[in-house]
Every structure is written in structure tokens, then in C-alpha cells.
């Protein structure tokens, strides 16, 4: 039977590199079936005697037990990730308020060094006194990123998403004990104080197995459940989810913004196209008007051509008559010449007769 989302531990949201911190946290050094073994550990982690002869607890119950252990009241949430984020913030508020004034100042100073503005730090710090519900989305993101990177740093791991965010200067790994105590809890505070300067995982284990095993084998864990490891693991995957949700939302918002910009461009282009449509219609009207004029002129030309042909025909007729007249003139001139010759001949004859 498929488990309800509120019952399932949120391991599937983690990438393989994200899971390495949890594997090392619970001593799952052998790579064989690490994920399956981790799935078996978590439902019994907060139970006495490692859950021996006890039923597993689901994720919702797990969060409730952590909240009760820390005297935190959780509101009702429709979605598991909302309840998870609320508990995560309230645990931070509790850890932060347990710091000394000096440690709080060091924590805030560290935020300034990492590049946060006064407004951003105010947003992050404000909720520790007035309630976690007032924490802004950006501030939760910063807090989550720092938490994940501190926990990963204990186990000498680099989280994959650190390199794919513009927030890298803010969430870079810190080894400040006050910061570790505020965001990861007392257990990590003790680890950082004892192991400040440790450079690799082997050295960390060699220096003392006591702190490492403190996450798993303590008298309290046997009697009441291993809440230290439970809280550390919870903060780790909760911070990872917050980071992933924030970044996904940022990407979605950016995509929506780009889409809106493209839609606005499309709207502008459509409006511009409408203007061109109007101009094209104007040209079409002008062309139609000119075409009408052309047809009128064509008709007029046809009429003129008919008139021209009639004139040509009439001219040809006149030319023919003219030619006939010319022929008559030539015939008359011939007769005149004949008569003239005859006249001369008669005049000469007459002249001779008179002599």
C-alpha cells in the first residue's frame, strides 16, 4: 500500500550528493543499500531502545515528537513541507535565543561578512523574537542554505546546489561555532568547538569517535530516542527542501516574468501589426481607386482608338480621291500638251501661208 505523503520521510527530494551527509551522519559507510538502510533507521530514530519491538513512526509523528521535545507548538498545515518549514524556523529561533549575547553578535557579524544587507539581516533576526511566521522567503532561504552547508561541512561534503546559485557568497560554508550553534543546534556547536580546523573526514573521525557517535549512541538515545541526530537530520533535509523550493520558485518566477515580458512584446507587436493593417487597407483603397481610374482611362483609350481608326479610314478615302484627281490632272495635262503642239504646228503653217 502506498504511503501518504505526510507519512513518508522526504528522502526522495534529495539528490545523491545531498544524501551523503545523512549516510555519514548515521555511519552508513558501506555503499551497499545505503538508502534502504537509512529508510529503516529514520522511523525508529526517536523511539527508546532504537525502536526495539516498537512500531515505526511516520514523518508527521516524527515532526510532532521533535516539536514536543523542544516545547514548540505547531499549527495545522495542509501540506507537509509547510509544517516542516515552520518547525525548521522555530527550531532555529529556539537555538538562536539560547545563545549568549556575545554569540548572537558573532552570528550577526558573520552574516554581514557574508554580504547580507542590514535589511536582510533584520528580516532574518526579527522573527526570533516575534515568531517564525514573520520570516521572509529570502531570509528562510539564507537560513536553510547556511544550515545545510554547516552540516555538510561537518562531514567534509560539498552540496551540489551551492555552485548553481547566485547566493554562493551568502551560503558559503562557515566554521564559526556561534553560527553553527544557532543554525544547527547544540550538538554541532560541541563538534565545532572540539574540531575547529579539522580539514578532512578521516581526521574528523580519528580525532574523536565520541562526538561522531554522539549522534547515535548516548544514554539519552537509549532511554528516550536519539533526538540530537533526529534534529540534525531533520534540519538538514528541511533546509535542502527549502533551498530547492526557493530556487525552483525563483526560476518559476523568472520564467513567468520572462513569459509576461514576451507576452507584452507580443501584444506590442500585435498593436504595431494592427497599425500596419490599417495602413495596408489605406493602400488597398488607394489602389482600388487607381484601378477604377485605370479602367476608366482604358475605356476612354478604346473610344479614342475607335475614333482614330475612323479618322484613318476617312483619310484613306480622301487620299484615294486625291489620287483620282491627280490622275485626271495628268490626263488633262497630256491633252493640253497635245493641243499646244497642234497649236504651234498650225501657227507655223499659217505663218508660211501668209508669206
Amino acid at each position: 500500500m502506498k504511503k501518504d505523503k505526510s507519512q513518508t520521510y522526504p528522502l526522495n527530494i534529495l539528490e545523491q550528493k545531498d544524501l551523503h551527509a545523512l549516510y555519514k551522519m548515521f555511519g552508513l559507510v558501506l555503499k551497499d543499500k545505503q538508502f534502504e538502510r537509512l529508510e529503516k533507521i529514520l522511523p525508529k530514530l526517536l523511539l527508546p531502545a532504537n525502536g526495539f519491538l516498537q512500531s515505526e513512526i511516520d514523518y508527521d509523528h516524527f515532526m510532532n515528537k521533535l516539536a514536543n521535545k523542544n516545547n514548540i507548538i505547531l499549527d495545522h498545515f495542509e501540506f507537509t513541507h509547510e509544517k516542516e518549514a515552520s518547525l525548521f524556523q522555530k527550531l532555529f529561533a529556539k537555538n538562536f535565543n539560547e545563545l549568549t549575547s556575545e554569540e548572537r553578535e558573532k552570528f550577526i557579524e558573520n552574516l554581514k561578512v557574508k554580504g547580507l544587507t542590514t535589511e536582510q539581516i533584520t528580516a532574518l533576526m526579527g522573527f526570533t523574537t516575534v515568531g517564525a511566521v514573520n520570516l521572509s522567503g529570502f531570509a528562510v532561504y539564507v537560513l536553510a542554505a547556511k544550515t545545510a552547508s554547516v552540516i555538510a561541512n561537518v562531514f567534509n561534503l560539498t552540496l551540489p546546489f551551492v555552485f548553481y546559485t547566485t547566493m554562493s557568497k551568502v551560503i558559503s560554508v562557515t566554521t564559526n561555532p556561534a553560527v553553527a550553534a544557532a543554525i544547527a543546534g547544540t550538538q554541532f556547536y560541541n563538534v565545532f568547538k572540539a574540531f575547529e580546523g579539522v580539514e578532512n573526514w578521516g581526521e574528523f573521525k580519528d580525532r574523536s569517535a565520541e562526538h561522531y557517535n554522539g549522534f547515535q549512541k548516548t544514554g539519552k538515545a537509549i532511554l528516550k530516542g536519539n533526538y540530537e541526530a533526529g534534529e540534525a537530520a531533520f534540519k538538514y533535509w528541511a533546509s535542502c527542501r527549502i533551498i530547492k523550493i526557493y530556487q525552483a520558485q525563483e526560476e518559476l518566477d523568472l520564467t513567468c516574468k520572462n513569459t509576461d515580458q514576451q507576452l507584452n512584446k507580443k501584444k506590442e507587436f500585435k498593436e504595431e501589426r494592427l497599425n500596419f493593417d490599417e495602413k495596408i487597407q489605406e493602400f488597398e483603397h488607394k489602389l482600388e481607386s487607381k484601378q477604377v481610374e485605370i479602367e476608366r482611362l482604358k475605356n476612354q483609350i478604346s473610344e479614342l482608338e475607335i475614333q482614330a481608326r475612323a479618322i484613318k479610314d476617312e483619310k484613306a478615302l480622301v487620299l484615294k480621291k486625291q489620287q483620282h484627281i491627280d490622275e485626271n490632272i495628268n490626263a488633262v495635262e497630256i491633252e493640253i500638251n497635245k493641243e499646244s503642239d497642234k497649236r504651234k504646228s498650225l501657227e507655223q503653217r499659217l505663218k508660211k501661208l501668209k508669206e
Side-chain angles (χ1 to χ4, degrees), residues 11-36:
L11 299 180
N12 288 327
I13 68 165
L14 303 177
E15 298 175 23
Q16 193 58 36
K17 286 187 177 181
D18 302 337
L19 288 165
H20 286 171
L22 294 176
Y23 294 156
K24 287 191 174 183
M25 185 183 295
F26 293 102
L28 302 176
V29 180
L30 297 177
K31 293 185 178 180
D32 184 43
K33 296 183 178 180
Q34 287 174 305
F35 189 84
E36 291 80 357

Side-chain angles (χ1 to χ4, degrees), residues 69-94:
K69 178 70 168 57
N70 289 277
N71 297 317
I72 291 172
I73 298 175
L74 289 175
D75 299 326
H76 172 74
F77 292 95
E78 183 178 355
F79 299 104
T80 300
H81 75 272
E82 294 175 338
K83 181 175 182 178
E84 180 183 273
S86 178
L87 177 57
F88 173 81
Q89 294 174 49
K90 289 181 178 181
L91 283 171
F92 170 78
K94 179 176 180 293

Side-chain angles (χ1 to χ4, degrees), residues 149-167:
S149 54
V150 165
I151 294 174
N153 188 59
V154 169
F155 300 104
N156 196 37
L157 297 173
T158 301
L159 301 178
F161 48 74
V162 171
F163 297 102
Y164 300 99
T165 172
T166 56
M167 286 294 298

Side-chain angles (χ1 to χ4, degrees), residues 266-325:
K266 181 180 178 182
K267 182 180 178 182
E268 290 174 1
F269 285 138
K270 279 191 171 183
E271 290 175 353
E272 190 172 356
R273 192 179 187 283
L274 286 174
N275 292 333
F276 283 123
D277 285 343
E278 291 176 359
K279 289 182 179 179
I280 289 171
Q281 287 180 353
E282 290 177 7
F283 286 128
E284 286 178 348
H285 290 318
K286 288 181 179 179
L287 285 172
E288 287 176 2
S289 176
K290 294 299 179 184
Q291 193 64 38
V292 169
E293 179 138 6
I294 287 172
E295 292 300 322
R296 184 183 66 78
L297 291 174
K298 280 183 178 180
N299 293 331
Q300 187 175 351
I301 289 171
S302 295
E303 292 176 2
L304 291 173
E305 286 176 343
I306 293 171
Q307 292 176 12
R309 282 195 297 270
I311 292 171
K312 283 181 180 180
D313 292 342
E314 190 174 353
K315 176 185 176 183
L317 181 61
V318 170
L319 286 172
K320 189 174 181 181
K321 288 181 179 180
Q322 184 186 48
Q323 184 180 3
H324 181 67
I325 291 173

Side-chain angles (χ1 to χ4, degrees), residues 225-252:
N226 195 343
Y227 281 88
E228 288 82 2
E231 183 174 327
F234 169 80
K235 286 181 177 179
Y236 179 72
W237 67 57
S239 61
C240 286
R241 193 204 296 261
I242 289 169
I243 292 168
K244 292 174 188 293
I245 288 176
Y246 184 89
Q247 291 179 342
Q249 186 62 53
E250 285 284 292
E251 188 174 355
L252 175 61

Side-chain angles (χ1 to χ4, degrees), residues 129-144:
T129 55
V130 299
V133 292
N134 293 323
L135 191 57
S136 70
F138 173 79
V140 175
Y141 173 61
V142 174
L143 173 60

